[in-house]
Amino acid sequence: MQPTTLFDKVWDAHVVRKIEDGPDVFFIDRHFIHEVTSPVAFLGLETRGIGVMYSNRTFATADHNTPTINQHLPVEDPLSANQLKALETNSAKYGISHWGLNNPKNGIVHVVGPENGITLPGMTIVCGDSHTSTHGAFGAIAFGIGTSEVEMVLSSQCIMQPKPKKMRVNVNGKLGKAVTPKDVTLYIIAQLTTAGATGYFVEYAGDVFENMSMEGRMTVCNMSIEMGARGGMIAPDQTTFNYLEGREQTPKGEAWDKALAYWKTLKTDADAVFDKEYTFDAADIEPMITYGTNPGMGIGISKNIPTAESVEGGKATYDKSLNYMGFGEQESMLGKKVDYVFIGSCTNGRIEDFRAFASIVKGRKKADNVTAWIVPGSHIVEAQIREEGIYDILTEAGFLLRQPGCSACLAMNDDKIPAGKYAVSTSNRNFEGRQGPGSRTLLASPLVAAAAAVTGVVTDPRELL
Ligand code: SF4
């Protein structure tokens, strides 16, 4: 038998029909929907007089434009309120499970799927959000889709997709002090550039990912699309199975045993060939921070901003980016003043991220010049924060815990960074205006965010641990 990759195994098991010289018709196991990209898709179904094919494979949660304070009160913004209402109404009409505001299972779509056991190895998963790649951490093929595709999946449970090429990214060795999964992914993107994986689906392999928690793997797969990849995935292993066992919607009893036997086959064969392969050494990675306006413009926190010649996109892009950020060539990032700190999002809004944040905050105080938004990825994460005593550490240090949602990741609610202000953010994009018009985003890990939050400037977290 021809050796195959994990990606091929999952992809080929879901092809309903091959179109000659065209895309594959591809079956979707799980479809996550939210309030922003679903209303137009449902309108399309209405117009065409058709329904939802598999409502039991479709899951709705409200997250993108929800407020992160006073969620018990009516949502003030009329557009957001309408979209939230539409999600509720459409879910009820088509029999779709809906976790709206104040539902104890509500939270960011890519946080609640895995934590409730909806995301499982070997599945195909889509959502009208780019960072659907997160679910690849479980050995699933997961990717973001557009509104018209949301309608296509609602109505047929299938999607037409050309098969991407395959890339493997290996990181071997042992990570250094304060180097987290976010640093690993920012390092890979800095090496490969934001277009480095365009047209590919990435499998992450090597010691570093094998030794990584599921939360960490989700952070890495989440960021895959920031280097242009269609998605990223990691072979399921005992860490995956331990995470999943007993979660609300995972199979139970005999069904679990059967599923487990299948999941154990989901790995790349020894001699399988990838279209492209990269290998990095864990020892070369230090805590990372971005200085520019795309996630590839990242450096080790102790390094200086590189020269224009060494950066993707040419001098004009580089100058525009640094001008927007208010930084200069070869400057150090250490010591730069920070106005806002945001910990949250589907990249770093899980319990492990808040544990890391608290490990630096414990016994210290929030810097006076910093406004901090501490936003759990879900109500379940919020409950864990309280149960584990992290809430007490945060409040003693002068931080407030907000309610779950996407928040300042894309600033569709009130959590907007003001123009010209600097935010150290654990989210995934630092594009111009991503966190609010004129906002300046420095992407980093929860440890770097915590170090900035207590010192008021960009600080190497290794000094505080
Ligand atoms: S946190 Fe950001 S990237 Fe993640 S689902 Fe929300 S808007 Fe999308």
Side-chain angles (χ1 to χ4, degrees), residues 194-455:
T194 55
T198 301
Y200 291 85
F201 208 98
V202 176
E203 180 178 343
Y204 298 97
D207 313 336
V208 162
F209 304 109
E210 283 164 22
N211 295 328
M212 203 175 263
S213 67
M214 286 315 297
E215 285 86 351
R217 293 178 190 184
M218 283 188 256
T219 299
V220 171
C221 289
N222 172 281
M223 295 289 288
S224 303
I225 61 146
E226 303 306 338
M227 53 186 183
R230 195 72 183 98
M233 68 199 306
I234 295 174
D237 59 9
Q238 200 54 48
T239 303
T240 321
F241 311 144
N242 291 347
Y243 176 96
L244 288 172
E245 191 165 14
R247 291 195 182 257
E248 190 185 88
Q249 301 209 25
T250 49
K252 305 285 182 313
E254 268 182 46
W256 169 264
D257 295 339
K258 201 171 153 210
L260 196 58
Y262 169 58
W263 296 343
K264 286 181 175 172
T265 68
L266 295 174
K267 52 180 77 142
T268 291
D269 299 331
D271 296 320
V273 177
F274 288 81
D275 298 293
K276 227 178 216 182
E277 185 147 11
Y278 295 93
T279 300
F280 300 108
D281 185 348
D284 293 337
I285 309 175
E286 65 169 324
M288 298 283 294
I289 193 155
T290 63
Y291 58 87
T293 52
N294 73 55
M297 298 177 91
I299 48 173
I301 199 160
S302 69
K303 307 270 187 329
N304 290 350
I305 294 174
T307 57
E309 294 73 52
S310 53
V311 172
E312 164 199 16
K315 184 152 171 44
T317 307
Y318 175 88
D319 287 346
K320 180 171 181 286
S321 182
L322 257 62
N323 188 38
Y324 180 85
M325 294 300 294
F327 296 151
E329 193 168 338
Q330 299 244 269
E331 281 180 4
S332 170
M333 290 299 291
L334 291 172
K336 291 212 177 287
K337 189 167 158 279
V338 171
D339 304 297
Y340 283 75
V341 167
F342 168 54
I343 174 166
S345 85
C346 60
T347 311
N348 283 122
R350 298 180 182 80
I351 188 60
E352 190 175 280
D353 303 312
F354 294 94
R355 285 182 194 138
F357 191 87
S359 72
I360 283 192
V361 162
K362 191 171 182 180
R364 297 188 169 96
K365 292 280 178 210
K366 183 182 80 62
D368 290 340
N369 62 302
V370 167
T371 302
W373 290 333
I374 317 278
V375 187
S378 70
H379 282 297
I380 290 178
V381 174
E382 183 186 359
Q384 283 175 292
I385 288 172
R386 291 176 193 276
E387 279 159 22
E388 293 188 13
I390 294 171
Y391 178 80
D392 299 327
I393 294 171
L394 295 174
T395 49
E396 275 162 29
F399 293 96
L400 286 177
L401 182 66
R402 297 173 84 92
Q403 292 170 298
C406 295
S407 181
C409 172
L410 83 170
M412 282 185 94
N413 66 355
D414 289 337
D415 304 346
K416 292 178 176 44
I417 310 296
K421 298 291 183 190
Y422 290 98
V424 173
S425 174
T426 67
S427 56
N428 41 61
R429 286 185 168 161
N430 51 354
F431 304 155
E432 290 186 21
R434 167 76 174 185
Q435 295 193 287
S439 59
R440 293 157 156 175
T441 302
L442 314 178
L443 296 177
S445 74
L447 289 177
V448 173
V454 296
T455 61

Side-chain angles (χ1 to χ4, degrees), residues 108-119:
I108 304 173
V109 60
H110 311 312
V111 175
V112 300
E115 76 183 359
N116 287 285
I118 301 170
T119 299

